[in-house]
Amino acid sequence: AVLTACASKDGSMWCGTDGAGVFRWQGEQMTQFGTGQGLTSLHVAALLEDRQTNLWAGTYAGLFRLVGGRFEPAPGPPALREPILALLEDHQGNLWTGGRAGLVRLDAAGGRLFGAEEGLFGGAVRALAEDRDGHIWVGPNAGLYWLDGEKFQYYRVPQEPYLQGIFALHYDNSGSLWVGTDLAGLLRLRGDHFDQWLGVRDGLPSNHLTAILED
């Protein structure tokens, strides 16, 4: 199963899979990257090409970067050796990783783990987004949080009794935050108001949403 896809600036397409590593499609050629190319886990949940065209892979064995045709473990806190489930590059060029061990920011000063001391609770982080003011939004297993300075604030969601987890976040060009959930359908935060699309009544074939893409 394909878990994540990433379009590269050179026109190629990268896909991460649940058990077969990473595939690259370029023109008519397909190349597979697995244990022989440095990956120590073939379960790849997140891919990101940053503005310097570095390709990052979030795997069940931690964070990797493609260097010279091989994947190498990324240096940083021990949390980067745990399963990585989400990746984000912010407007300053910092790389954010979400995973089972929490949230890590990689910047010029090194790596920093954000957890309970910074106001972030809720377990594994599966979704990340940045709004137009530079605030980082985080979707852990429980609740919705946003970064205010160096501390996270909890954002109350009216539908929270039914919100079992956030699997996808996307901040669109109109200024709305879209939230894909596990069992609570699709949410949209516009201003201070949440709209919800739930189940067959609103045209969704499933209330379990794992990805959101703006074309």
Side-chain angles (χ1 to χ4, degrees), residues 9 11 17 33 47 69 87 120 124 132 135 139 182 197 212:
K9 292 180 179 64
T17 69
F33 295 78
L47 289 171
L87 296 171
L120 184 61
R132 61 178 54 163
H135 297 128
D182 183 18
W197 289 266
I212 300 171

Side-chain angles (χ1 to χ4, degrees), residues 6-39:
C6 170
S8 176
K9 292 180 179 64
D10 67 6
S12 60
M13 176 66 70
W14 296 85
C15 290
T17 69
D18 186 15
V22 174
F23 288 83
R24 182 192 189 199
W25 281 271
Q26 187 171 34
E28 298 298 320
Q29 185 177 6
M30 180 178 68
T31 307
Q32 183 180 16
F33 295 78
T35 53
Q37 291 73 40
L39 290 175

Side-chain angles (χ1 to χ4, degrees), residues 9-178:
K9 292 180 179 64
D10 67 6
S12 60
M13 176 66 70
W14 296 85
C15 290
T17 69
D18 186 15
V22 174
F23 288 83
R24 182 192 189 199
W25 281 271
Q26 187 171 34
E28 298 298 320
Q29 185 177 6
M30 180 178 68
T31 307
Q32 183 180 16
F33 295 78
T35 53
Q37 291 73 40
L39 290 175
T40 57
S41 170
L42 298 180
H43 299 269
V44 182
L47 289 171
L48 181 143
E49 184 183 76
D50 65 24
R51 62 190 65 178
Q52 318 298 269
T53 69
N54 296 304
L55 184 77
W56 301 86
T59 78
Y60 283 17
L63 181 66
F64 286 77
R65 183 166 71 99
L66 187 65
V67 180
R70 287 184 59 84
F71 281 95
E72 298 180 354
L80 294 183
R81 305 278 74 79
E82 298 293 323
I84 301 295
L85 308 172
L87 296 171
L88 171 74
E89 184 183 23
D90 66 22
H91 73 284
Q92 295 180 321
N94 301 318
L95 182 69
W96 295 80
T97 74
R100 288 187 186 167
L103 181 70
V104 174
R105 181 181 66 201
L106 294 175
D107 53 29
R112 178 178 177 183
L113 176 66
F114 289 80
E117 289 186 3
E118 292 77 27
L120 184 61
F121 300 89
V125 173
R126 297 179 179 272
L128 298 167
E130 182 184 22
D131 66 24
R132 61 178 54 163
D133 296 319
H135 297 128
I136 304 298
W137 292 79
V138 178
N141 281 342
L144 177 65
Y145 293 82
W146 64 282
L147 185 61
D148 181 16
E150 292 295 301
K151 291 283 187 178
F152 276 92
Q153 304 293 331
Y154 170 79
Y155 200 100
R156 185 180 176 278
V157 181
Q159 294 85 354
E160 187 144 3
Y162 310 99
L163 194 62
Q164 301 300 312
I166 293 173
F167 279 23
L169 289 172
H170 176 73
Y171 191 82
D172 71 17
N173 289 325
S174 71
S176 297
L177 180 70
W178 295 83

